[in-house]
């Protein structure tokens, strides 16, 4: 068995470079490929800046992405304080070798294994001392010397830079949730919206603004526009919402699943002087999205 271990938030292009080598190495050795990952995120357990932590993938999204790459087995390890105290040697010897039967370890350029983890060279020395074969991987840089990382993807999404986030992820970012009741103000202006409550509260929501999106609900895909923000035109102190207007759609989907996939940011959120001004801007936003949709065909 060939094993890679890590949190792999986003399963982005950098991860895919590592995981592609994992699948290839397993095939070369006529054995299986296994990813060992953790849940919840270590920072939420160790309280290391946990308040600011937002995830690129839910656990189910991560497992789906890993299997799509060709990983044979995904092992989810409950991350606890006791688990966090395991040394590099304990983790490799007792868990990877003893429990999983690992023979080969794929070691990423920034892998940290065990509470006393040193450099990848030191981890490799411990692993080989326990009889593990070690395969080292390099980091992935996009053109322009941009290193791919989960942190950089989070920053891009928070800034509304959807094209950059998409380049680093290797796929389009999306939110999954359930449709909940809103104030129906959009319907009164001719733009009914589906208000989303996320299934994973720690999932990162892109920065405030209006986005061209693809929407999946009722087993079908639609185009639409999504507003993320606090609706400053209708008052102050409003909670942040994710509201999506689906083009050519007027069915009751309260209580049903909805997935919103981000294609491009249209504009920042701003306050309008009246609901009439807001409605006029929403019409312009819709026209912009429809033009983008037509250009993609």
């Amino acid at each position: 068995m060939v094993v890679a271990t890590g949190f792999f938030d986003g399963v982005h292009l950098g991860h895919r470079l590592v995981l592609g080598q994992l699948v290839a190495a397993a095939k070369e050795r006529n054995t299986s490929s296994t990813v060992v990952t953790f849940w919840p995120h270590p920072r939420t357990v160790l309280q290391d800046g946990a308040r600011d932590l937002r995830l690129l993938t839910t656990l189910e999204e991560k497992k789906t992405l890993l299997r799509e790459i060709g990983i044979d087995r995904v092992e989810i390890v409950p991350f606890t304080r006791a688990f966090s105290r395991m040394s590099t040697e304990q983790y490799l010897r007792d868990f990877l070798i003893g429990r999983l039967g690992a023979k080969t370890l794929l070691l990423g350029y920034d892998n940290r294994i065990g509470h006393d983890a040193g450099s990848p060279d030191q981890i490799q020395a411990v692993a080989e001392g326990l009889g593990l074969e070690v395969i080292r991987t390099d980091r992935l840089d996009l053109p322009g010397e941009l290193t791919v990382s989960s942190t950089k993807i989070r920053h891009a999404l928070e800034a509304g830079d959807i094209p950059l986030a998409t380049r680093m992820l290797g796929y389009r970012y999306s939110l999954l949730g359930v449709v909940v009741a809103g104030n129906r103000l959009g319907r009164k202006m001719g733009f009914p919206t589906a208000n989303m409550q996320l299934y994973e509260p720690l999932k990162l929501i892109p920065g405030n603004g209006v986005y061209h999106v693809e929407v999946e609900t009722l087993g079908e895909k639609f185009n639409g526009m999504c507003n993320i923000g606090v609706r400053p035109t209708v008052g102050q102190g409003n909670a942040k919402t994710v509201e999506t207007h689906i083009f050519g759609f007027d069915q009751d989907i309260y209580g049903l699943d909805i997935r919103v996939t981000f294609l491009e940011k249209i504009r920042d959120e701003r306050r309008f002087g009246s609901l009439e001004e807001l409605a006029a801007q929403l019409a312009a936003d819709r026209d912009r999205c429809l033009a983008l949709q037509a250009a993609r065909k």
Side-chain angles (χ1 to χ4, degrees):
M1 176 189 296
V2 185
V3 176
T5 181
F7 194 75
F8 298 111
D9 188 30
V11 194
H12 55 61
L13 286 183
H15 296 144
R16 287 163 186 254
L17 174 69
V18 173
L19 298 170
Q21 292 182 41
L22 175 68
V23 172
K27 288 180 178 177
E28 287 172 2
R29 290 158 179 77
N30 196 29
T31 187
S32 61
S33 58
T34 297
V35 164
V36 177
T37 189
F38 315 105
W39 198 265
H41 194 287
R43 282 170 59 182
T44 66
V45 175
L46 304 177
Q47 298 181 349
D48 178 19
R51 235 174 238 188
D52 300 323
L53 174 68
R54 289 299 177 268
L55 302 175
L56 298 173
T57 41
T58 67
L59 181 58
E60 288 306 313
E61 287 171 339
K62 185 195 298 187
K63 289 194 290 188
T64 297
L65 288 166
L66 290 171
R67 288 174 179 136
E68 286 176 352
I69 291 169
I71 304 301
D72 295 312
R73 176 181 175 186
V74 179
E75 184 78 16
I76 308 299
V77 179
F79 193 90
T80 64
R81 285 188 173 272
F83 182 81
S84 74
R85 290 191 284 268
M86 291 183 75
S87 68
T88 302
E89 183 172 352
Q90 284 177 308
Y91 178 74
L92 295 174
R93 181 191 64 227
D94 300 341
F95 191 81
L96 292 193
I97 299 173
R99 177 171 163 180
L100 299 182
K103 301 294 184 185
T104 303
L105 172 67
L106 200 74
L107 187 63
Y109 79 97
D110 62 348
N111 251 166
R112 294 292 179 265
I113 297 175
H115 79 87
D116 59 344
S119 67
D121 288 342
Q122 291 170 319
I123 296 171
Q124 179 175 353
V126 173
E128 290 177 341
L130 294 169
L132 279 171
E133 177 192 12
V134 176
I135 302 172
R136 298 282 290 271
T137 67
D138 297 323
R139 74 180 189 181
L140 175 66
D141 292 335
L142 291 176
E145 299 183 353
L146 174 66
T147 305
V148 178
S149 74
S150 299
T151 298
K152 289 184 177 180
I153 295 168
R154 293 187 192 104
H155 289 164
L157 290 168
E158 288 164 351
D161 193 340
I162 302 303
L164 177 58
T166 302
R167 279 181 64 211
M168 290 191 284
L169 284 168
Y171 59 90
R172 290 185 170 126
Y173 189 74
S174 66
L175 300 176
L176 176 65
V178 61
V179 179
V180 297
N183 60 12
R184 293 184 175 268
L185 183 61
R187 182 172 292 277
K188 293 175 184 176
M189 293 188 293
F191 291 90
T193 60
N195 289 15
M196 172 190 287
Q197 179 177 306
L198 300 185
Y199 285 133
E200 172 50 70
L202 289 182
K203 175 92 172 180
L204 185 145
I205 298 174
N208 290 2
V210 178
Y211 296 83
H212 180 210
V213 297
E214 182 180 84
V215 184
E216 293 179 62
T217 190
L218 297 177
E220 296 185 68
K221 291 184 180 181
F222 306 88
N223 266 264
M225 61 185 187
C226 176
N227 182 83
I228 297 174
V230 295
R231 298 168 296 158
T233 302
V234 297
Q236 297 181 342
N238 298 319
K240 187 170 185 173
T241 59
V242 180
E243 303 176 282
T244 303
H245 173 65
I246 308 173
F247 301 148
F249 183 91
D250 193 23
Q251 297 187 53
D252 182 357
I253 53 174
Y254 289 122
L256 301 183
D257 285 353
I258 184 171
R259 182 179 290 278
V260 175
T261 300
F262 294 86
L263 306 178
E264 189 169 335
K265 185 175 181 180
I266 302 304
R267 63 173 175 86
D268 291 333
E269 183 182 47
R270 64 186 180 91
R271 184 181 182 280
F272 293 90
S274 67
L275 291 181
E276 289 76 19
E277 285 184 30
L278 173 57
Q281 181 61 59
L282 291 176
D285 294 338
R286 177 189 57 202
D287 291 345
R288 173 84 185 280
C289 291
L290 289 172
L292 289 170
Q293 176 185 340
R296 284 190 170 92
K297 290 182 178 178

